[in-house]
Amino acid sequence: MTAATYFFAILFYAATALLVVGLIYKIADFARTPAPLLIPTTPAPTTTGGMVFRMFREVALFESLFKANLWIWIFGWMFHMGLFLVLARHLRYFTEPVWFWVALIQPFGLYAGFAMAAGLGGLWARRFLVERIRYISTPSDHLMLALLLGIAVTGLMMKFVMHTDIVAVKAFFLGLMRLEIQPLPEHPGLYIHLALVALLMIVFPISKLLHAPGIFFSPTRNQVDNPREARHIAAWASEFDGK
Amino acid sequence: MAGPEIKAPAFREFPTIPALQPGSMAGSQAYVASEKIQEAIGFQGKLDDDWQVTHDKAIAKMGDLLGKYRGLKVFMDSCVHCGACTDKCHYFIGTADPKNMPVARQELMRSVYRRYFTLPGKLFPSLVGAKDLTREVLDDWYTYYWQCSECRRCSVFCPYGIDTAEVTMAGRAILDTVGYGQKYSNEIIGKVHKIGNNLGLPGPALENTLEGLEEDVKDATGVDVKYPLDVHGAEVLLVTPSADFFAEPHIESLIGYGKVFHAAGISWTLSSKASEAGNFGMFIGNYDQLRKIALRIREAALELGVKRIVVGECGHAWRAAYAFWNTLTGIGAGANDPFAIELQKQLDPNYKQPSHICEVTWDLIQQGRLKFDKSANDDRIITFHDSCNVARASRMGDYAGGQFDIPRNIIKAVANNYVEMESSTIRETTFCCGGGGGVLTDELIDLRIKGALPRMEALKHVADHDGVNFMATICAICKAQFTKVLPYYGFNMRLVGGVHQLVSTAIKLGDEQ
C-alpha cells in the first residue's frame, strides 16, 4: 500500500465530509431565511404545478439564459449536460453490480466528456474575448474554469492516451465506501484527476458553485404568483400586524 | 444653468452593444438628503464623523438584511459572472459605464459581502474579488445604486433569477441606515406621511382641483361627471398617483377613470388621507416605510367603508398594491388572521382586491357596459409602452401575462389605429422609461436621457414607419419622464399619454348604459 493510497483515502473522506456538511449548512441557511415579500419575475405561474414546471425548464434547459445570450447558452448547456452525463457515467465506480441505466449510458458519457471540455473552452474564451465579461471576471472565475477543464482533460487522457487500471480504481472507491482502504493504482494522471476532483468538492460549498442549490431557492423563480388570493407573510413581518 | 448642454445620445443604426467607457457616469450623483429630511422619517441625519462607526453600522445592516431576505442571500451567493445580463440594462446601453451592467452593479455589494461574510473572501480577498468597505466603495454604492431604476429587466435573463432591483434596494437601505439617503425619494416619503401624497397637495387644494375638474368635464361634454372625495359608503375607493391630480398628461387619465365610473354607474370616491398610490418605501428597500405608506390605504378603506379598492395608472404603485398590499395591510383575500380579516370581510369577494383600473374598464367593456366612439381617436396612431413594474412585477386578470393583454385590449376597443413596437422592447422584455425607481429628479437628467435611449429607438422606428404619434402607458413616472425627455430625442412632449386618456376621448357618456 503506497503513501499515495492513504493520502487519497484521507483526502476523499475529508472532501466528502466538507462537501456534505457545507452544502447542508448552506441549504439550511437558504431554507430558513424568510422571503418576506412575493417577488416572482412576472409573468409567473399562478399555480404550484406551473412553478415546478418553470423551475424544471430553468434547471434542465436554462430557459432564461437561452433568452439572454445564445453563445453563453450553447457553451453553458453543453458543459452542464456533459458534466451531468459524465457524473452519471462515473457511478460505475461506486456501484456493484453496475446499475442498468448506468451501463446503458456509458457510450454517451464518453462523448459527453468532449462536450464538457468544449463547453468549458467556449466559456473560458468568452472571459478573454468579450470586453464586458473580461471586465467582470475575477481570478477565481478563471481558476474555476481551469479546475473543471483540468478534471475533464485528465479524465479524457486516461481514457484515450494513458490508461490506468480502472478495475483497481473501482476497488479503491468501493473500499472507501465500506471503510476499507484498497490500493490505488500508481498513475500520475489519475493522481491529478482525483486531486482536482477533491478540490472541487471542497470549494463547492464556499464558492459560486452554490448557484446549483441557489437556483432552487431563488424567489423570482420559485414563488407562485398569487398575492391577491393568499396572504403571504414572513414570521418577522407578521408581528407588525395591527401595530 | 452653467455647464455643457445636455444632449441625447445618437440613435444607433444597429442596436450594437456599446464598448465600455469606465467611469463615464461616476460624476452623475443624486443630491444627498439633508439631516432634516432624513430625521423626518426616522433615519440617521448624516454620516458619522468616524468612518469606523459608519463601516460597522453598514456591515451590521447588511448582516441584518441577509438574515431577513432570502432573495438577497441567494443572489449574493449564486452569481457566476456568466455575463448574460451585461447588455440588458437600459442605463448601460445608454451610458456605456460598465458599473451600470447589472452584474457589476450587484458586484459593488457582492465584493463586500464576500469580504465580510464568506470564508474565501476573508482568506483570499483578491482571488475572489472581495473588497473592504471603504468610503470610496460606499460612494460608489451611492452613485450607482441611484443609477438603477429597479426595473427588473436583468432578472428576466439571469439563469438564477438574480434580481438587481433587490440588491439595489438593499444597498439603498444600508445607505439610509448610515445617514447617506437620497434627497428626492426621502423628501417625498416625508411628504406622504405629513400631507398624504408625494406631491404635497393638501386636502383643501385637492378638493378645489377636483371641483375644477368637474367643471372642465361639464364644459367639454355637457355631462355632470363627478370626481368625489371622501364619500363614506361609496362602492369603490380609487387610489391613484398624485400626479394624476394636476400634471399633464396624467390628469387626462384621471378624467377617464371618472368617466368610466360614471358611464357604468359605479359609486366611487377618492380619499384625502390616501391621496397617493405611489409608495417610495419600495424604492429605498425599507419594509417599515413600505408598510406604513401602504397602511394609509387600509385605514382610508376602513373609514370610508368601501367594498372595492381600485388603483390608477401607476407602475410601481401597482406592484406595491398587487404584490405587497395583502402582505403589508391585508388588502386582498385568503387571510386567516384577525388583522387582515377585519378588512377582508368588508371587501366584496366578487372582485379582485385590489383591482387595477384597467381590469375594471376591461371587465366593463366585456360586459357591454361601456360604449365608445372609436373614431374620436382616429387622429391618433397609437403604440403601447409596457411599464416595468406592471410587466415584470405584477399581473392583471386571471392568467400570467394578462398585464400585457388587458391594456392593449382596451386601446383596441377605444381606438382604430394600433401599432406594436419591436418585440424585444415590449412585454416582459420592455425597456424602462429611464426615470423609474426613484431617479425622476432633475439633477439626474443626463442619466434619464441616456437611459431612455432603447425605448426612444423603438419609438423612432414606429414613428418613422407607421406614423405613430401617441405612446400610451399606464405609469405616472413613465408619463413624467417621457414628457421631459421626448424633446431631447426630437419628439413632441405630448406624444405620451395614458390608456384612460384614450378611453376618455372615445367613451360615450349618454344614456347608452
Side-chain angles (χ1 to χ4, degrees):
Chain A
M1 210 80 79
T2 62
T5 297
Y6 287 107
F7 171 76
F8 278 102
I10 293 166
L11 180 63
F12 270 89
Y13 281 131
T16 307
L18 287 171
L19 175 70
V20 171
V21 172
L23 270 188
I24 288 175
Y25 173 79
K26 279 312 292 194
I27 289 172
D29 193 27
F30 288 157
R32 73 164 169 259
T33 307
L37 294 166
L38 285 178
I39 58 166
T41 303
T42 59
T46 56
T47 61
T48 305
M51 180 276 287
V52 170
F53 184 51
R54 177 189 207 177
M55 188 62 86
F56 169 80
R57 296 196 311 272
E58 207 62 90
V59 171
L61 305 174
F62 302 1
E63 183 182 35
S64 296
L65 186 59
F66 184 79
K67 290 186 218 167
N69 187 305
L70 214 49
W71 284 111
I72 306 178
W73 181 84
I74 289 169
F75 294 133
W77 197 77
M78 204 154 85
F79 158 61
H80 281 87
M81 290 307 126
L83 177 65
F84 177 72
L85 276 175
V86 166
L87 280 175
R89 186 170 189 266
H90 278 67
L91 283 175
R92 66 181 175 151
Y93 292 103
F94 304 89
T95 51
E96 184 59 46
V98 174
W99 299 333
F100 170 72
W101 67 269
V102 175
L104 199 69
I105 61 156
Q106 291 302 311
F108 304 104
L110 207 54
Y111 295 113
F114 288 102
M116 182 180 154
L120 286 167
L123 291 173
W124 205 353
R126 285 185 62 83
R127 293 214 179 273
F128 290 103
L129 300 177
V130 181
E131 187 190 24
R132 286 167 287 126
I133 302 182
R134 194 162 65 230
Y135 177 89
I136 57 170
S137 296
T138 62
S140 57
D141 292 328
H142 290 281
L143 287 176
M144 196 64 81
L145 285 162
L147 176 62
L148 288 161
L149 202 58
I151 291 170
V153 168
T154 52
L156 288 166
M157 292 271 287
M158 278 185 284
K159 177 69 198 172
F160 294 102
V161 185
M162 283 169 50
H163 285 280
T164 186
D165 180 355
I166 57 170
V167 177
V169 173
K170 177 162 182 171
F172 173 78
F173 279 103
L174 285 174
L176 287 187
M177 290 167 70
R178 291 192 305 266
L179 304 180
E180 286 169 18
I181 299 190
Q182 302 288 335
L184 186 69
E186 289 182 45
H187 188 286
L190 179 66
Y191 289 168
I192 299 172
H193 188 68
L194 293 183
L196 294 179
V197 170
L199 184 59
L200 183 72
M201 291 164 72
I202 291 165
V203 300
F204 199 105
I206 54 169
S207 69
K208 66 176 187 178
L209 300 181
L210 283 170
H211 68 275
I215 176 139
F216 293 98
F217 292 93
S218 180
T220 63
R221 295 291 182 270
N222 79 0
Q223 289 182 338
V224 176
D225 182 27
N226 63 353
R228 289 191 287 192
E229 290 75 32
R231 187 162 193 241
H232 169 96
I233 191 140
W236 66 261
S238 67
E239 61 195 51
F240 298 131
D241 277 4
K243 284 181 193 164
Chain B
M1 205 175 95
E5 192 192 344
I6 296 170
K7 279 198 186 127
F11 290 122
R12 299 168 296 171
E13 196 164 343
F14 302 101
T16 47
I17 303 160
L20 304 185
Q21 293 173 27
S24 65
M25 292 301 281
S28 179
Q29 268 210 348
Y31 293 149
V32 177
S34 68
E35 279 183 71
K36 198 175 151 210
I37 290 171
Q38 285 285 96
E39 284 163 3
I41 54 174
F43 294 154
Q44 179 170 322
K46 60 185 179 68
L47 287 168
D48 291 286
D49 295 328
D50 181 354
W51 166 253
Q52 193 59 39
V53 176
T54 299
H55 169 277
D56 294 350
K57 280 181 183 168
I59 298 300
K61 180 66 181 176
M62 195 171 177
D64 175 52
L65 293 172
L66 285 163
K68 282 183 172 164
Y69 292 89
R70 178 189 299 160
L72 184 66
K73 178 170 279 182
V74 169
F75 299 159
M76 286 292 112
D77 276 331
S78 296
C79 178
V80 302
H81 299 165
C82 74
C85 62
T86 52
D87 57 346
K88 303 298 184 278
C89 174
H90 53 290
Y91 290 126
F92 171 69
I93 294 171
T95 70
D97 188 323
K99 285 179 183 167
N100 277 327
M101 298 191 294
V103 53
R105 198 187 307 285
Q106 297 162 23
E107 209 63 15
L108 295 172
M109 182 175 294
R110 191 175 288 114
S111 56
V112 174
Y113 165 76
R114 283 208 205 89
R115 185 75 179 107
Y116 295 86
F117 297 93
T118 73
L119 190 64
K122 285 174 186 166
L123 297 176
F124 316 108
S126 56
L127 187 71
V128 296
K131 276 192 192 146
D132 288 313
L133 180 63
T134 60
R135 178 64 205 250
E136 290 69 35
V137 170
L138 199 73
D139 288 339
D140 251 9
W141 284 20
Y142 187 83
T143 304
Y144 289 100
Y145 287 131
W146 287 107
Q147 291 188 23
C148 171
S149 59
E150 302 177 344
C151 82
R152 311 186 93 204
R153 189 167 192 270
C154 48
S155 86
V156 171
F157 297 102
C158 175
Y160 319 113
I162 296 173
D163 180 5
T164 309
E166 293 292 308
V167 179
T168 291
M169 287 171 191
R172 293 176 182 180
I174 295 169
L175 288 164
D176 275 331
T177 302
V178 299
Y180 202 171
Q182 188 228 35
K183 175 175 182 276
Y184 170 70
S185 296
N186 289 356
E187 192 170 33
I188 278 177
I189 291 172
K191 276 188 212 161
V192 169
H193 291 309
K194 204 169 163 198
I195 304 168
N197 51 62
N198 288 357
L199 294 168
L201 194 65
L206 182 56
E207 209 175 325
N208 281 340
T209 304
L210 295 172
E211 278 169 16
L213 207 58
E214 288 176 357
E215 286 165 22
D216 292 347
V217 175
K218 170 89 175 172
D219 289 345
T221 65
V223 180
D224 280 314
V225 179
K226 293 289 167 202
Y227 292 86
L229 185 65
D230 295 328
V231 176
H232 284 260
E235 184 182 349
V236 168
L237 168 63
L238 179 80
V239 189
T240 202
S242 53
D244 283 3
F245 298 126
F246 65 88
E248 278 288 346
H250 307 62
I251 200 164
E252 305 294 337
S253 283
L254 175 62
I255 292 171
Y257 315 151
K259 288 181 180 175
V260 167
F261 288 127
H262 176 92
I266 297 169
S267 73
W268 68 291
T269 186
L270 293 153
S271 156
S272 53
K273 178 175 206 164
S275 52
E276 175 64 62
N279 191 330
F280 276 40
M282 186 172 101
F283 293 161
I284 62 167
N286 185 304
Y287 190 94
D288 195 42
Q289 285 296 340
L290 182 64
R291 184 179 147 273
K292 279 185 184 149
I293 293 168
L295 276 176
R296 296 155 35 258
I297 291 118
R298 174 189 162 97
E299 286 159 15
L302 286 168
E303 280 169 24
L304 296 170
V306 295
K307 300 288 178 206
R308 302 167 64 181
I309 299 174
V310 174
V311 180
E313 295 181 357
C314 183
H316 86 279
W318 179 238
R319 180 184 192 184
Y322 171 84
F324 303 156
W325 274 3
N326 200 356
T327 296
L328 299 167
T329 70
I331 298 173
N336 50 20
D337 58 285
F339 170 78
I341 286 173
E342 182 191 2
L343 177 63
Q344 294 187 3
K345 68 177 189 220
Q346 174 190 315
L347 299 175
D348 185 340
N350 294 314
Y351 296 96
K352 291 190 167 64
Q353 307 285 0
S355 289
H356 194 282
I357 186 69
C358 285
E359 293 181 308
V360 173
T361 300
W362 180 236
D363 279 350
L364 292 169
I365 291 172
Q366 286 180 300
Q367 292 164 20
R369 290 169 66 187
L370 301 177
K371 297 281 183 288
F372 301 99
D373 171 16
K374 289 171 81 165
S375 65
N377 275 315
D378 276 355
D379 56 332
R380 291 169 169 149
I381 300 174
I382 301 159
T383 191
F384 182 69
H385 162 79
D386 291 282
S387 300
C388 37
N389 276 298
V390 177
R392 290 184 284 260
S394 62
R395 175 164 55 99
M396 288 180 205
D398 295 315
Y399 62 94
Q403 69 268 38
F404 308 129
D405 297 338
I406 288 177
R408 286 173 171 81
N409 290 346
I410 294 174
I411 295 171
K412 289 170 189 167
V414 304
N416 288 312
N417 310 316
Y418 181 75
V419 176
E420 205 69 87
M421 281 184 281
E422 204 268 311
S423 65
S424 68
T425 72
I426 56 168
R427 298 172 73 95
E428 71 169 339
T429 52
T430 185
F431 277 104
C432 170
C433 62
V439 305
L440 191 75
T441 175
D442 286 344
E443 72 270 21
L444 292 177
I445 189 68
D446 184 35
L447 174 82
R448 288 166 51 192
I449 292 168
K450 289 173 175 164
L453 178 68
R455 169 52 71 229
M456 291 296 106
E457 286 175 335
L459 178 63
K460 175 83 177 155
H461 188 84
V462 289
D464 288 350
H465 289 80
D466 305 290
V468 164
N469 60 9
F470 192 92
M471 179 165 65
T473 186
I474 46 173
C475 172
I477 288 177
C478 292
K479 291 171 193 168
Q481 156 76 355
F482 285 135
T483 302
K484 183 97 179 182
V485 305
L486 279 167
Y488 287 93
Y489 286 92
F491 295 109
N492 187 330
M493 63 184 273
R494 302 187 71 85
L495 192 142
V496 66
V499 167
H500 278 78
Q501 182 174 346
L502 300 171
V503 172
S504 175
T505 303
I507 197 167
K508 291 183 179 175
L509 294 171
D511 303 324
E512 286 87 352
Q513 51 175 309

